[in-house]
Amino acid sequence: MAVSSSSPSRLRGHARVSRRRGGGAALRCSKGAVAPAHETRQVVPPFWIFTVDLGRVKDTWMEPQWGAKGIRYEIPLAVELKPEGGVALPVAVGAYAQMELGEGNWTVDGSTFRMQLPLSRRYERGDVWLDEGTPLNFAVGFYPDACRIAQRGGRVTIPAVRWFVRREKRLVGTCVVRGPYATKDDATRELESSRVRKGDHDGRVYERENNV
């Protein structure tokens, strides 16, 4: 199912979710025996918002013309992390994003949370483009003791082949994370519209995408 915008491999113990201010859910892992790897997904809360900062990043191997103007696109995604089979389901995309994503997958690898979401159709805004079917690969820090995904420092890459044989990951942006949220409605309620950022050297100037 595609969603588009509209106008540690081991964890200690099990987890409990408690309400917190703002409608979110605070998760804590109780101390105890080490859980098997297949139980990792059972303790991570399901609803999160990942905001992708899409655009040229220093030291990327993307083509020189890709994102050369320096314009960046901030695209919020509300995602449900299903424990069964490690399914990552995008439930909503920020308005005006012009991005359509399909069902993907997720896992926790030690202290890193990883998620992959494929593009259901080609994305193109200005000099930033990604082909249909391209998987967006998210890698974000993970705190095993708290069973939480780190809020900052996430990287977004796509797979690529260079010189016909060399497989590599190309950096296409960063991401920040908000959550967890107790329900899907809580996450979608907090979802902001997509925004365009101009001028890396002159400060963060924002305009809504429908006005650009």
Side-chain angles (χ1 to χ4, degrees):
M1 180 178 67
V3 175
S4 61
S5 58
S6 59
S7 272
S9 60
R10 289 190 174 185
L11 297 179
R12 294 193 173 275
H14 296 281
R16 59 185 178 86
V17 179
S18 59
R19 301 294 300 183
R20 68 176 182 175
R21 294 181 63 184
L27 186 86
R28 294 180 176 84
C29 293
S30 60
K31 295 182 179 179
V34 176
H38 69 273
E39 292 185 10
T40 300
R41 301 188 187 99
Q42 303 294 333
V43 298
V44 178
F47 301 106
W48 302 80
I49 292 177
F50 295 80
T51 299
V52 180
D53 185 348
L54 188 65
R56 193 160 194 89
V57 181
K58 183 180 179 181
D59 298 327
T60 183
W61 283 101
M62 293 298 288
E63 296 90 338
Q65 64 270 30
W66 193 91
K69 295 180 180 178
I71 297 177
R72 311 190 65 81
Y73 302 92
E74 291 193 352
I75 303 171
L77 313 171
V79 179
E80 180 180 1
L81 305 178
K82 292 180 174 290
E84 301 83 3
V87 172
L89 185 64
V91 296
V93 182
Y96 316 117
Q98 301 183 22
M99 178 176 282
E100 192 170 315
L101 294 160
E103 180 181 294
N105 58 79
W106 70 278
T107 189
V108 173
D109 179 12
S111 58
T112 303
F113 169 88
R114 301 186 188 278
M115 179 174 68
Q116 185 180 91
L117 297 174
L119 287 168
S120 298
R121 64 182 178 89
R122 179 180 171 88
Y123 175 87
E124 185 169 1
R125 297 300 307 275
D127 60 356
V128 172
W129 68 89
L130 298 168
D131 289 334
E132 179 181 349
T134 299
L136 297 181
N137 296 312
F138 297 74
V140 193
F142 185 79
Y143 302 111
D145 291 340
C147 299
R148 292 181 63 91
I149 304 171
Q151 292 185 331
R152 298 186 178 276
R155 295 160 63 89
V156 182
T157 61
I158 62 171
V161 177
R162 188 153 46 120
W163 300 320
F164 302 103
V165 294
R166 176 176 173 177
R167 296 182 179 276
E168 61 188 15
K169 295 179 180 180
R170 294 185 180 179
L171 194 59
V172 295
T174 60
C175 75
V176 296
V177 183
R178 293 164 56 196
Y181 297 92
T183 67
K184 179 171 68 175
D185 289 341
D186 288 340
T188 55
R189 191 180 302 116
E190 295 294 323
L191 197 66
E192 299 177 343
S193 297
S194 180
R195 299 188 289 185
V196 174
R197 186 169 82 238
K198 296 182 178 181
D200 288 335
H201 303 292
D202 298 327
R204 295 166 69 92
V205 179
Y206 290 100
E207 296 180 15
R208 294 197 179 276
E209 293 206 28
N210 59 333
N211 293 331
V212 175

